[in-house]
């Protein structure tokens, strides 16, 4: 299994945060969850143009797809 990295997902919430929908996942990759969390606030400010009453940034672990899986 390949090592994971972290990405920031921006979620749009219609009801104060209990029911949220992913609206975008940023391309930046972070080696650690701490690096991702440290960048999440700025990423949310830079990506605040979605039409939802509430937006949240969430760090998610991703596992790179192997060359075989991409074909």
């Amino acid at each position: 299994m390949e090592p994971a990295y972290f990405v920031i997902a921006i979620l749009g919430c219609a009801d104060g945060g209990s029911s949220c929908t992913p609206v975008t996942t940023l391309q930046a990759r972070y080696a650690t969850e701490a690096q991702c969390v440290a960048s999440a606030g700025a990423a949310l400010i830079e990506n605040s143009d979605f039409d939802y009453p509430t937006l949240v940034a969430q760090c998610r672990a991703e596992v790179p797809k192997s060359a075989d899986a991409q074909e």
Side-chain angles (χ1 to χ4, degrees):
M1 185 161 141
E2 297 179 43
Y5 56 86
F6 294 86
V7 295
I8 298 172
I10 304 295
L11 309 174
C13 308
D15 63 353
S18 65
S19 178
C20 300
T21 302
V23 292
T24 192
T25 300
L26 305 182
Q27 295 298 315
R29 295 176 179 174
Y30 302 91
T32 67
E33 186 174 17
Q35 291 171 334
C36 184
V37 170
S39 299
L44 185 58
I45 291 169
E46 292 173 9
N47 294 277
S48 61
D49 57 344
F50 296 100
D51 190 24
Y52 284 89
T54 304
L55 293 171
V56 295
Q58 182 181 70
C59 290
R60 295 182 173 179
E62 297 284 326
V63 176
K65 294 178 182 171
S66 68
D68 292 336
Q70 291 177 4
E71 293 178 5

